[in-house]
Amino acid sequence: MLYKQIQTNKRKTMLLLSFFTLIVVGVGWAIGYLVNNDSLTGIIIALVILAFYLPITYLSATSQVLSMSGAKEVTREEYPQLYAVVEELCIASRLPMPKIYVINDPSPNAFATGLKPEKGVVAFTTGLLETLNREELAGVAAHELAHIRNYDIRLMTICIALVGVIAILADFGTRMMFGRRRGNQKSHPALLIIALVFVILLPFVSRFVHLAVSRNREYLADATAVEFTRNPTGLINALEKISADPRDVKKAKSATAAMYIDRPTGRKSKKRSSWFATHPPMENRIERLQNM
Amino acid sequence: MIHVGLIIGIAVIAILVIYAIVTYNSLIKFRNWIQEAWSQIDVQLKRRHDLIPNLVNTVKGYATHEKETLEKVIQARSQLVSGSAQDRIDADNEIQQTLKSIFALAESYPDLKANQNFLSLQEELTSTENKVAYSRQLYNKTVAEYNIKRETFPTIILANMMNFKRQEQLEIPEAEREVPTVEF
């Protein structure tokens, strides 16, 4: 079951990549059509941007996330218990020992990054380390290691990069449309409308898909964490404590918000579930864990 | 027409050979994983064996009346590094119970509870115990996956031909099923 999960995840990555590429091509076509009455140029420009933007984001993602969040690598001497807990779970999950980072922030939260297990990084806020006991900390660490083992970070990084490309293209497209008068009397009105809808709607579609995938990954990581610890109680208590804290993680950005164990920003607002939420509602996660 | 037959024949043989290689390699992979999982347990049991004298020495100074408990730990300790796999696991279970009572003991000796050395030993022993538990879990999971693979058709034909034996899981006493939770 263990290896099958990784397989399906890798397949989903490919599927998602093709789906997003199609969207990129669609937006490219729409822009080319709207601006120049020439669909091919738009598609080519879109693919060229994709070919540059995607690998750059992909390769720099880990270091960017870490520097953006203000996380610092810590030693075993500074945090012996944290090291011990992560080491234990690495045995249970047969993962190489990740690097351990700590974020100086009172809001309890954690995230993992690293495109493959050998380059894994787990980061915890000081608030989390102070609030949770050993058992709960193990639950959170297991959740983060689950993201690493399931290759979720690779999936999410590609998602973020693709959403970025589509946003850039759509932005570019709308500017061009309003910036210059079009002389394309020959274009078909139906196609014109379709193209317009594409440019306006596809950025939302891509963002929606990205967040839906992200929410799904959280459930899966919770389940995998229990597979490692064989003890849902620790994670349940941890999630309850984390969701009870109304403080935001100060250095969390909307681009990185999906990576945390619970949403790090906008925590004071009541609205917890929506189509554009980065995380599923905490009650649902806890309920699923209780049913395991 | 001879050519077609020949090509099909070669293709069938090639597929069979590739299948045999893939199966053999994956069985070997599992066998190594089982070995690796056991050596993990081994490392942790040794670590426990080495830590116990330090703990006993630290506790001795504070709790002189608890000689019996301490002696029990020392006795079970030597079993950790000798005997069969199951013997050593059993010794570890016994030690786990006694260690729990030693840690509980600290509650009635405030000086001991405040002793930095004792605290870090407690954390280390707790972690080692968890590591034993997780390695055991991994060991059993790997053995189960290996056995399932070995005994399902058609792998079983190859496995029997190449003498891949069934592996046994480590047994855990009923009361020990749950991972111990230690509050600080």
Side-chain angles (χ1 to χ4, degrees):
Chain A
M1 323 129 263
L2 227 122
Y3 310 102
K4 243 178 226 142
Q5 184 55 56
I6 299 172
Q7 283 299 317
T8 29
N9 228 346
K10 285 183 173 167
R11 200 161 34 212
K12 271 185 195 154
T13 312
M14 288 315 292
L15 207 73
L16 207 68
L17 202 60
S18 343
F19 174 73
F20 272 110
T21 311
L22 275 180
I23 296 190
V24 169
V25 170
V27 174
W29 165 79
I31 293 171
Y33 194 78
L34 286 172
V35 174
N36 239 352
N37 201 12
D38 166 20
S39 22
L40 199 64
T41 336
I43 293 177
I44 291 171
I45 291 174
L47 288 178
V48 167
I49 293 180
L50 183 68
F52 281 97
Y53 192 86
L54 191 65
I56 290 172
T57 317
Y58 185 78
L59 292 174
S60 62
T62 304
S63 54
Q64 263 185 22
V65 166
L66 287 172
S67 65
M68 273 166 77
S69 61
K72 295 257 161 358
E73 192 172 0
V74 292
T75 60
R76 183 185 297 273
E77 286 69 38
E78 292 171 277
Y79 291 92
Q81 193 181 60
L82 183 59
Y83 261 89
V85 167
V86 174
E87 236 170 34
E88 287 159 23
L89 289 159
C90 282
I91 291 175
S93 55
R94 199 186 272 128
L95 278 170
M97 183 73 182
K99 285 185 183 152
I100 296 183
Y101 279 64
V102 167
I103 306 160
N104 193 5
D105 197 295
S107 171
N109 224 317
F111 69 81
T113 182
L115 297 165
K116 48 185 173 182
E118 298 76 39
K119 300 221 165 128
V121 174
V122 285
F124 305 87
T125 64
T126 45
L128 185 98
L129 299 175
E130 280 155 23
T131 330
L132 303 187
N133 66 25
R134 196 180 207 284
E135 188 192 9
E136 292 156 357
L137 184 62
V140 172
H143 173 100
E144 297 311 334
L145 288 174
H147 276 313
I148 294 179
R149 196 212 60 187
N150 292 344
Y151 286 84
D152 286 343
I153 298 141
R154 177 183 289 186
L155 189 73
M156 295 324 294
T157 309
I158 289 177
C159 265
I160 291 169
L162 289 166
V163 170
V165 171
I166 292 162
I168 291 173
L169 282 174
D171 186 52
F172 178 71
T174 22
R175 269 164 213 265
M176 292 288 278
M177 267 156 51
F178 292 111
R180 119 157 63 141
R181 281 191 64 83
R182 303 184 309 272
N184 49 353
Q185 274 80 13
K186 276 173 284 174
S187 58
H188 197 283
L191 275 176
L192 207 69
I193 290 167
I194 292 174
L196 260 172
V197 169
F198 260 39
V199 172
I200 295 163
L201 226 54
L202 285 183
F204 286 102
V205 172
S206 64
R207 179 133 186 83
F208 169 69
V209 170
H210 165 218
L211 293 171
V213 172
S214 165
R215 290 194 296 271
N216 208 353
R217 300 285 96 188
E218 291 303 321
Y219 285 128
L220 183 69
D222 286 345
T224 314
V226 175
E227 185 197 316
F228 295 160
T229 58
R230 302 278 160 98
N231 170 21
T233 324
L235 186 56
I236 290 173
N237 293 344
L239 289 178
E240 272 165 357
K241 280 188 185 173
I242 291 170
S243 63
D245 197 305
R247 284 174 291 193
D248 280 353
V249 178
K250 279 179 238 93
K251 284 197 168 168
K253 304 272 167 18
S254 63
T256 53
M259 308 189 65
Y260 286 82
I261 189 167
D262 189 23
R263 55 177 194 168
T265 55
R267 296 179 64 85
K268 282 205 185 80
S269 74
K270 286 263 151 51
K271 210 157 150 269
R272 293 231 128 196
S273 67
S274 90
W275 279 22
F276 289 97
T278 51
H279 290 78
M282 196 50 94
E283 306 84 70
N284 294 7
R285 287 173 72 180
I286 289 172
E287 198 192 312
R288 286 198 192 191
L289 281 169
Q290 277 163 344
N291 291 336
M292 270 181 211
Chain B
M1 283 310 104
I2 295 166
H3 286 298
V4 176
L6 196 67
I7 290 168
I8 291 174
I10 290 173
V12 168
I13 290 170
I15 289 170
L16 283 177
V17 168
I18 290 170
Y19 171 75
I21 292 172
V22 169
T23 311
Y24 178 79
N25 284 350
S26 82
L27 285 170
I28 289 285
K29 184 175 75 183
F30 270 108
R31 205 155 70 178
N32 278 306
W33 272 349
I34 293 171
Q35 257 170 29
E36 188 201 312
W38 172 255
S39 70
Q40 271 290 353
I41 302 179
D42 198 38
V43 168
Q44 301 308 333
L45 290 179
K46 280 212 180 83
R47 178 105 193 97
R48 233 155 139 66
H49 175 262
D50 297 343
L51 283 169
I52 284 169
N54 295 341
L55 181 79
V56 169
N57 281 336
T58 312
V59 175
K60 238 189 215 160
Y62 294 91
T64 34
H65 309 298
E66 314 290 342
K67 256 203 179 108
E68 213 179 303
T69 323
L70 296 179
E71 267 163 19
K72 239 190 348 206
V73 186
I74 291 287
Q75 266 166 22
R77 169 185 173 252
S78 58
Q79 288 267 302
L80 280 178
V81 284
S82 59
S84 74
Q86 192 62 50
D87 284 350
R88 296 170 61 189
I89 290 292
D90 290 342
D92 185 62
N93 287 329
E94 199 182 315
I95 283 183
Q96 191 194 332
Q97 291 307 316
T98 335
L99 284 182
K100 265 188 205 154
S101 55
I102 292 183
F103 293 152
L105 209 150
E107 294 300 320
S108 37
Y109 296 90
D111 290 349
L112 179 59
K113 211 181 155 192
N115 182 321
Q116 205 52 51
N117 196 20
F118 175 76
L119 286 177
S120 63
L121 272 170
Q122 188 181 22
E123 166 61 30
E124 272 226 56
L125 279 160
T126 307
S127 178
T128 318
E129 173 53 35
N130 285 346
K131 282 174 189 163
V132 173
Y134 284 136
S135 321
R136 214 153 63 174
Q137 181 182 311
L138 183 69
Y139 182 88
N140 283 348
K141 190 159 76 179
T142 317
V143 166
E145 279 168 24
Y146 167 82
N147 283 341
I148 290 170
K149 180 147 190 81
R150 197 196 80 92
E151 278 154 40
T152 41
F153 184 80
T155 316
I156 187 154
I157 303 171
L158 270 168
N160 282 337
M161 268 162 57
M162 292 183 285
N163 207 19
F164 279 91
K165 294 257 174 359
R166 188 186 159 81
Q167 302 273 337
E168 292 308 318
Q169 301 208 343
L170 292 168
E171 283 177 31
I172 307 162
E174 204 55 47
E176 306 271 329
R177 288 282 152 90
E178 277 163 36
V179 178
T181 57
V182 179
E183 306 268 338
F184 294 103

